[in-house]
Amino acid sequence: MGTVVIAPRVIPVLQIDDGGWLVKTRQYQSPRYLGDPINAVKIFNEKQVDELVVVDIAASRSHRDPAYEVLADIASEAFMPVAYGGGLNSVAQARRVVNLGIEKVIVNSALFTAPEAVEAMAAALGSQSVVASIDVRRGAGGELVTTSASGTRREPEKADALAVRAVSMGVGEILVSSTDREGMRGGYDLEAIRAIASAVRVPVIALGGADDIDDFGAALRSGASAVAAGSQFVFYGRREAVLITYPDPSVVSSLVGIRAS
């Protein structure tokens, strides 16, 4: 029998705001209204997307619970596994989200404010169901800076050290996102990907800045196990007309074999 080769995961990321509407930000600022997230999910179903991430950009900043009704609607409509992040800081919240049909929970601010809750989530749900989201940006001198709360709060811990600590809490995957590049379509922060991927043995997902298939390849060669993007899958062209899209399977298959050397 021949060897089965699996293409890298290419994951659309949908942002929702207060009210549960689909939006898209630039550097996590100035959310642009795009419509009903359910419509986007239905299109991704048709395009046979394998995996989806949904992020509530307002939950943490508003200190509120996840929008459970919206998540229930998304989970019931989606044919693919869904991961959710936003406002999660207790195992009770995480359990409720998973019970709605969401496969994975994503934690960010809780890594700093409620690490014991992250440990409890991993123990209760399993490491494969908990993802640590590590947001990075560039400081005044070009150095990597770790942030939380959608990039609004600077944290003293270095990104690679935070990744190691997150894995010690029990998380099974790391999502590394560049705040500077989010929505800008100028390519991923490859240095951040390399730093985190070399520090841990769990899968690393690259997010923030993808514009085309070449950016996916660069992230994979830098150590990412999977790539994620938002703008690339909800906008079309340089004028950014709203269009929910996803690469043809042949395009995704072209990424087979691209890994860090």
Side-chain angles (χ1 to χ4, degrees), residues 12-257:
V13 177
L14 297 179
Q15 295 176 327
I16 58 174
D17 207 341
D18 285 328
W21 297 112
L22 180 64
V23 298
K24 187 67 192 78
T25 58
R26 285 177 178 265
Q27 300 176 328
Y28 296 116
Q29 302 296 318
S30 305
R32 176 180 170 185
Y33 169 79
L34 302 182
D36 186 345
I38 298 299
N39 291 333
V41 172
K42 289 179 178 178
I43 295 171
F44 286 139
N45 285 341
E46 294 172 0
K47 294 185 176 296
Q48 299 182 340
V49 170
D50 293 326
E51 191 172 348
L52 182 65
V53 166
V54 175
V55 178
D56 187 328
I57 64 170
S60 289
R61 285 182 291 187
S62 300
H63 302 289
R64 63 165 171 77
D65 278 357
Y68 296 115
E69 291 184 7
V70 176
L71 293 181
D73 290 343
I74 290 174
S76 65
E77 188 64 44
F79 294 167
M80 73 291 288
V82 179
Y84 167 78
L88 293 171
N89 53 36
S90 74
V91 69
Q93 291 174 317
R95 282 186 185 277
R96 184 171 176 182
V97 167
V98 169
N99 288 339
L100 294 174
I102 302 296
E103 185 172 85
K104 298 179 182 180
V105 294
I106 303 171
V107 292
N108 175 251
S109 296
L111 295 170
F112 304 98
T113 62
E116 70 288 344
V118 177
E119 292 179 354
M121 291 179 202
L125 305 177
S127 293
Q128 76 285 350
S129 295
V130 184
V131 181
S133 174
I134 297 180
D135 292 343
V136 298
R137 64 176 174 83
R138 294 288 170 173
E143 72 280 9
L144 275 176
V145 175
T146 306
T147 66
S148 62
S150 297
T152 60
R153 183 164 56 242
R154 178 168 176 164
E155 302 290 350
E157 196 167 7
K158 291 185 176 180
D160 54 351
L162 175 58
V164 171
R165 184 165 66 87
V167 172
S168 73
M169 295 179 200
V171 307
E173 204 162 26
I174 303 290
L175 176 68
V176 52
S177 177
S178 169
T179 302
D180 296 327
R181 293 169 180 262
E182 192 272 328
M184 305 305 289
R185 306 184 74 169
Y188 295 104
D189 190 323
L190 302 180
E191 181 185 345
I193 295 168
R194 283 190 290 266
I196 291 175
S198 64
V200 296
R201 294 185 178 275
V202 300
V204 171
I205 306 169
L207 175 62
D211 186 46
D212 55 30
I213 195 74
D214 291 337
D215 291 328
F216 291 164
L220 294 168
R221 284 189 293 271
S222 297
S225 301
V227 289
S231 296
Q232 187 177 357
F233 299 138
V234 299
F235 293 138
Y236 176 77
R238 292 300 167 184
R239 294 182 180 273
E240 295 193 334
V242 178
L243 178 66
I244 307 300
T245 187
Y246 189 76
D248 289 334
S250 61
V251 174
V252 176
S253 296
S254 72
L255 294 167
V256 170

